[in-house]
Amino acid sequence: MNSTIAYLTTQLEAALVAAFGPDLAGTDPVLVPTTNPKFGDYQANVALSLAKRLQDKPRAIAEALVAKLEVSDCCEPPAIAGPGFINLKLRTDYLQDQLRQMHQSDRLGVAPTSAPQRVIVDFSSPNIAKEMHVGHLRTTIIGDSLARLLEFRGHDVLRLNHVGDWGTQFGMLITHLRDVCPEAITDASTVDIGDLVAFYRQAKQRFDAEDDFKERSRQAVVELQAGDESARKAWQVLCDQSRREFQQLYDRMDIRITERGESFYNPLLADVVADLKASGLLVEDQGAQCVFLEGFTNKEGNPLPLIIQKSDGAYNYATTDLAAIRYRTQQDRAERVIYVVDAGQANHFTQVFQVARRAGWVPEGVELIHVPFGVVKGDDGKKFKTRSGDTVRLKDLLDEAVRRAQSDVENRLQQEERQESPEFIRHAAETIGMAAVKYADLSQNRTSDYIFNYDRMLALQGNTAPYMLYAYVRVQGISRKGDIDWSQLQQTVPVDLDDETEFALARHLLQLDEVILAVEADLLPNRLCQYLFELSQKFNQFYDRCPILQADEPKRTSRLVLADLTARTIQLGLSLLGISVLERM
Ligand code: ARG
């Protein structure tokens, strides 16, 4: 199965050359889906955009183009509308053929990419010894979803957790550990040091209050950097404890990620600085090693420096990211590096990307992309906080979503007078809770801030996970009632598209590949959510209007095929968002 939009684009490009000569090779035909089905399925706007260049009326250009356009295999004869839009309407037999191919395909007709890339997705990346909190929710969910979609398209994806596991804060943590839990450092077995957040807070308090503690903390940083065994062991204990806690959350959210924290790049930092020096980019400014940035100025209008090494010899966050870029492009041979990090770090990434390019570490054609997202806010429009004003722990947030999902399920079962096992309820609640949290985040355009609201994300109506899961469950209900084995469903005659709702559903189903390709390019998962939402709506309209099990053959089979395609599309689409379906709910 070929992407219809790709095929039509190719044909339009050929017609442009045939009509106006080789100069027009590679001209974008500006092909878009129509907003109103009355005008067909697609609309090409190229005649308008070429008017100036060809010094002719758009309508005349459109006519000349249509005369050379070969699309009769999939479209009705093209129509020219208004000042020169070319409207294309797909033929019914073409749609039927596409549906047949989609139904037979494991991938629902979405071909693997013909140009697989080595892609790195840098996401989640919490800081050691601090809790994962609501701030890590978006990067974790969005990053995982992008990785899933790129993997599905056949790219070679390396998911990297750039955890903050290095830096001066370890001085106070190590010192506090030595004081309160010395056995953690000498004992070979793992020691549980309890609540890491409380531990961090205590260490910080002592650091601010006790001079002796502060001095020993400074010393501990020096020891850690020099590779002192006791300091290393303490650092390891702290990292291990964090790691175990992070892993529990990843497991629960079904997220795979490989840890390659900041400490990994430590041995490479001196080399990075030397490399920058050799390429003449490094400038000493008040004892610090800097690169002066192009296009960045301070208040006085002077070029702004990116500090690479402070006057005391210490490296920083930017140095580590430069080392990471160099490693990812040279050792990992990444062709596309995607950083899913909050919008607040946009400047940081623009700066390090610029320095890396000027240093010559980024080969032609290699993309470094910051995928920014807005902050999570509460209903009051302020940063999402607990009642007492603390940052919300990710674990508590997930627990609360599941707790609320469970009470929804229990209420519904009571209303429907259904008896289900505790295991059924627990599983449904966990699946719905997790789905709701993920979907609510992914369905927003990530660049805007996001208002977190449990009630809205768990609602059975609207653009929510429960609505989508319910549409899927509905189809499974049909198969239970009619004793249908989907894997045995044989399409004997073309899918019937007589009813308007059948036609609309079929048209929408066939846009799956276009949507996936769009998300692959612009990295906006909300487009896939919108597609799935509209699919569920179109399915529900079809379901309300067209009897399925009661219909006579061959309509019955035809409608079962549409239902099956809908369920499989929802299942696939949700899986790319990191969400699993339920057979019953
Ligand atoms: N640890 C950082 C933070 O919590 C995020 C790291 C993002 N990735 C990167 N390569 N800088 O803000």
Side-chain angles (χ1 to χ4, degrees):
M1 176 166 171
N2 282 315
S3 157
T4 302
I5 203 162
Y7 175 72
L8 293 176
T9 302
T10 315
Q11 296 307 93
L12 279 157
E13 281 168 356
L16 279 163
V17 171
F20 307 108
D23 276 2
L24 277 109
T27 307
D28 178 3
V30 206
L31 186 69
V32 290
T34 54
T35 42
N36 187 337
K38 203 168 77 194
F39 302 126
D41 296 286
Y42 298 97
Q43 176 178 312
N45 299 337
V46 63
L48 287 90
S49 59
L50 277 180
K52 206 162 176 188
R53 175 160 168 202
L54 297 178
Q55 302 214 341
D56 203 346
K57 289 204 184 64
R59 230 188 138 90
I61 296 172
E63 272 157 20
L65 185 58
V66 163
K68 299 284 180 195
L69 186 59
E70 283 291 349
V71 290
S72 57
D73 50 349
C74 57
C75 292
E76 308 284 353
I80 299 169
F85 304 114
I86 301 168
N87 290 340
L88 300 170
K89 182 167 165 44
L90 297 173
R91 286 167 39 164
T92 303
D93 58 343
Y94 174 79
L95 291 177
Q96 289 167 325
D97 189 52
Q98 295 278 301
L99 285 169
R100 190 182 45 74
Q101 291 185 41
M102 185 174 181
H103 189 238
Q104 285 169 357
S105 149
D106 290 340
R107 301 177 53 93
L108 293 168
V110 184
T113 175
S114 55
Q117 285 184 316
R118 177 90 166 132
V119 184
I120 288 178
V121 185
D122 175 324
F123 71 106
S124 198
S125 309
N127 296 322
I128 294 282
K130 294 203 189 161
E131 192 115 34
M132 267 219 248
H133 53 76
V134 62
H136 298 105
L137 180 70
R138 303 202 78 187
T139 166
T140 305
I141 293 174
I142 298 168
D144 174 60
S145 163
L146 294 176
R148 284 173 188 262
L149 187 131
L150 294 164
E151 282 157 0
F152 176 68
R153 282 280 290 154
H155 296 291
D156 176 12
V157 179
L158 180 58
R159 301 154 163 256
L160 288 183
N161 203 357
H162 192 82
V163 294
D165 63 353
W166 201 253
T168 47
Q169 77 274 23
F170 279 96
M172 63 178 198
L173 295 168
I174 291 171
T175 308
H176 190 51
L177 187 65
R178 282 172 169 167
D179 288 355
V180 301
C181 194
E183 67 277 15
I185 304 163
T186 44
D187 194 339
S189 60
T190 46
V191 183
D192 191 344
I193 47 180
D195 183 349
L196 264 183
V197 177
F199 184 90
Y200 190 97
R201 210 177 296 133
Q202 288 154 11
K204 180 83 175 78
Q205 261 162 19
R206 295 186 65 192
F207 187 83
D208 292 337
E210 302 170 27
D211 284 343
D212 162 66
F213 185 86
K214 198 175 210 163
E215 186 43 44
R216 286 193 291 136
S217 298
R218 289 220 178 92
Q219 190 53 39
V221 176
V222 177
E223 288 170 27
L224 179 63
Q225 278 168 350
D228 169 82
E229 202 180 320
S230 134
R232 282 301 281 202
K233 180 72 210 285
W235 171 75
Q236 197 70 56
V237 168
L238 291 158
C239 291
D240 282 346
Q241 171 108 6
S242 279
R243 208 167 277 140
R244 283 195 296 275
E245 285 173 18
F246 296 159
Q247 195 55 47
Q248 279 172 8
L249 283 164
Y250 292 138
D251 287 346
R252 185 167 185 196
M253 297 175 79
D254 190 19
I255 282 165
R256 272 184 307 105
I257 188 160
T258 305
E259 183 178 323
R260 197 195 272 170
E262 294 185 19
S263 65
F264 176 89
Y265 302 98
N266 226 18
L268 311 174
L269 299 179
D271 235 31
V272 163
V273 176
D275 226 21
L276 290 171
K277 193 175 209 116
S279 51
L281 288 173
L282 225 49
V283 177
E284 193 175 314
D285 190 42
Q286 296 164 45
Q289 300 295 324
C290 308
V291 178
F292 280 90
L293 297 159
E294 292 166 356
F296 283 88
T297 50
N298 60 16
K299 280 192 227 89
E300 291 79 44
N302 300 321
L304 199 72
L306 180 68
I307 299 175
I308 308 292
Q309 190 171 19
K310 291 192 268 185
S311 53
D312 64 1
Y315 305 110
N316 57 29
Y317 187 51
T319 326
T320 307
D321 259 324
L322 286 170
I325 295 177
R326 188 164 164 266
Y327 194 90
R328 290 167 180 185
T329 52
Q330 297 181 357
Q331 263 70 32
D332 295 322
R333 305 218 160 267
E335 297 164 86
R336 200 177 188 204
V337 190
I338 296 169
Y339 294 80
V340 187
V341 186
D342 65 275
Q345 296 195 31
N347 269 342
H348 165 76
F349 285 109
T350 315
Q351 295 176 350
V352 297
F353 291 171
Q354 183 193 105
V355 173
R357 287 209 185 267
R358 281 163 65 197
W361 299 334
V362 189
E364 255 317 288
V366 170
E367 283 182 286
L368 304 175
I369 312 168
H370 175 213
V371 166
F373 54 83
V375 291
V376 181
K377 294 188 165 172
D379 277 323
D380 54 3
K382 302 210 183 95
K383 238 181 167 166
F384 191 57
K385 294 258 163 130
T386 62
R387 246 171 246 256
S388 56
D390 292 330
T391 325
V392 179
R393 296 161 56 188
L394 194 46
K395 179 178 181 307
D396 294 340
L397 180 146
L398 297 176
D399 284 346
E400 178 66 9
V402 170
R403 195 188 61 72
R404 290 182 186 230
Q406 171 145 351
S407 87
D408 287 356
V409 171
E410 284 165 347
N411 284 339
R412 199 157 33 78
L413 291 178
Q414 208 168 27
Q415 273 166 24
E416 295 173 7
E417 296 179 5
R418 271 166 63 195
Q419 277 295 339
E420 297 289 355
S421 68
E423 172 52 28
F424 174 95
I425 297 173
R426 203 202 51 74
H427 175 67
E430 181 74 21
T431 308
I432 296 170
M434 225 46 71
V437 170
K438 288 186 177 185
Y439 191 88
D441 192 326
L442 293 166
S443 60
Q444 303 290 314
N445 184 317
R446 57 171 166 74
T447 54
S448 26
D449 289 345
Y450 157 54
I451 312 262
F452 192 93
N453 180 301
Y454 289 111
D455 291 334
R456 211 173 321 130
M457 69 177 67
L458 284 164
L460 261 181
Q461 289 303 327
N463 190 5
T464 65
Y467 181 71
M468 237 67 62
L469 293 176
Y470 195 70
Y472 178 85
V473 164
R474 234 176 181 185
V475 178
Q476 305 319 311
I478 299 173
S479 75
R480 277 193 297 277
K481 206 161 144 202
D483 206 10
I484 310 288
D485 177 355
W486 295 119
S487 66
Q488 296 302 311
L489 189 65
Q490 292 290 343
Q491 202 187 328
T492 39
V493 291
V495 170
D496 195 300
L497 299 176
D498 287 347
D499 192 88
E500 207 184 303
T501 58
E502 291 175 313
F503 188 79
L505 177 60
R507 262 314 282 129
H508 197 75
L509 281 166
L510 291 172
Q511 283 160 14
L512 175 68
D513 61 340
E514 287 168 23
V515 171
I516 288 180
L517 261 56
V519 180
E520 178 181 1
D522 62 23
L523 308 174
L524 288 169
N526 61 302
R527 286 183 167 223
L528 179 55
C529 296
Q530 186 62 32
Y531 169 83
L532 293 173
F533 176 48
E534 286 170 21
L535 177 65
S536 306
Q537 285 179 315
K538 292 193 156 78
F539 173 74
N540 287 335
Q541 282 153 7
F542 155 75
Y543 185 84
D544 288 344
R545 203 129 110 205
C546 302
I548 300 178
L549 292 172
Q550 272 78 42
D552 295 330
E553 290 295 357
K555 262 198 164 54
R556 185 175 186 269
T557 300
S558 162
R559 290 180 177 168
L560 283 169
V561 167
L562 283 178
D564 182 29
L565 275 174
T566 302
R568 285 166 58 200
T569 302
I570 292 176
Q571 182 172 28
L572 173 67
L574 289 179
S575 81
L576 300 180
L577 301 172
I579 295 172
S580 31
V581 293
L582 288 165
E583 297 305 304
R584 295 190 306 132
M585 69 188 263

